[in-house]
Amino acid sequence: MDTSMHDMLEEMGKDIVRQEDLEERNRLWSLKDMNQVSKYDKVNKSIEGINVHMIETENIQLCPTIFGNMLNLRYMDFCVPWRLLENEKLLVDGVDSVSLPNELRYLGWDFYPFKSLSPSLNPKNLVILKLWRCNMEHLWNDDHQDLVYLRKIDLTDCKNLRKIPNLLGAINLKSLDCSGCESLVELSRLTHLTSLETLRLSGCSSLEKFPELPNNLSELDLSFTGNEEVPNSIEHLFSV
């Protein structure tokens, strides 16, 4: 057997070992692992969590079904350290969206590159949604009403976000943070959110008015917004 053939077979063997190793894991911790998984477009029932702190810019050719194929994926977090904000983000090539599994409980993705969450995602199991400094214009359509597990939504500095979807089913939501969403022009009805304690709208300069709010709020930030009128239901927060 010549040297080139031997080297090719050796590399094929290593690739099979790497694939088998990834298939047995239930966590992914690096972009290198993500790249490996991207190569094998197949159903994976073992991976339950992805936690990647991006410290080096890498260009990943994401398969649109990579996450949707992880049927038991419950935790997903792509985090960019504050000191690297201007340089580090997860880049994607030639992909308009990626499918996400309905089993997700925690979804965090700094610099999420798409205009909305995947239309195939049913957020019925989400507990925490954290999408910082993202390119999105809206989250999901108003058809999703089964949001009983949702406790926290953090959309800090999503500067292209224009509307918060109807949250009628999010009866246990405790915190909604839209700080820095400078294109946000509309808030849907919120009075039904009887568990809501924290609402942050600082820097929402396009938001000129919003509907009545639940009277159980303990923290409300309206600094640097276009709002000039305080709803009657939360006047107690501004009383001396």
Side-chain angles (χ1 to χ4, degrees), residues 75-206:
Y75 181 96
M76 182 174 171
D77 191 18
F78 294 110
C79 179
V80 178
W82 282 99
R83 61 186 177 82
L84 301 175
L85 288 185
E86 297 301 322
N87 301 316
E88 308 301 323
K89 55 186 75 174
L90 180 62
L91 303 177
V92 291
D93 289 331
V95 176
D96 293 326
S97 67
V98 291
S99 59
L100 297 169
N102 293 335
E103 292 301 313
L104 275 176
R105 270 66 165 172
Y106 183 105
L107 174 57
W109 193 330
D110 293 355
F111 293 103
Y112 179 81
F114 308 114
K115 291 185 178 181
S116 69
L117 292 176
S118 169
S120 64
L121 173 69
N122 186 336
K124 63 180 181 179
N125 288 312
L126 274 180
V127 178
I128 295 178
L129 178 66
K130 183 180 76 70
L131 301 171
W132 288 1
R133 303 173 292 277
C134 297
N135 192 43
M136 61 170 42
E137 297 176 0
H138 62 278
L139 288 177
W140 54 68
N141 60 44
D142 288 338
D143 294 337
H144 297 301
Q145 302 299 331
D146 187 9
L147 302 170
V148 66
Y149 295 115
L150 195 57
R151 297 293 192 277
K152 181 177 181 179
I153 298 177
D154 190 343
L155 304 170
T156 298
D157 287 336
C158 292
K159 297 188 181 299
N160 295 324
L161 186 69
R162 296 182 55 83
K163 180 183 177 182
I164 300 298
N166 193 323
L167 298 173
L168 280 175
I171 57 175
N172 293 307
L173 186 69
K174 291 183 176 296
S175 176
L176 176 59
D177 193 340
C178 298
S179 301
C181 295
E182 56 189 36
S183 298
L184 185 66
V185 296
E186 182 180 354
L187 277 178
S188 298
R189 179 170 172 263
L190 300 177
T191 52
H192 61 285
L193 300 180
T194 56
S195 297
L196 191 66
E197 299 172 352
T198 300
L199 178 61
R200 297 191 180 106
L201 300 170
S202 173
C204 296
S205 54
S206 298

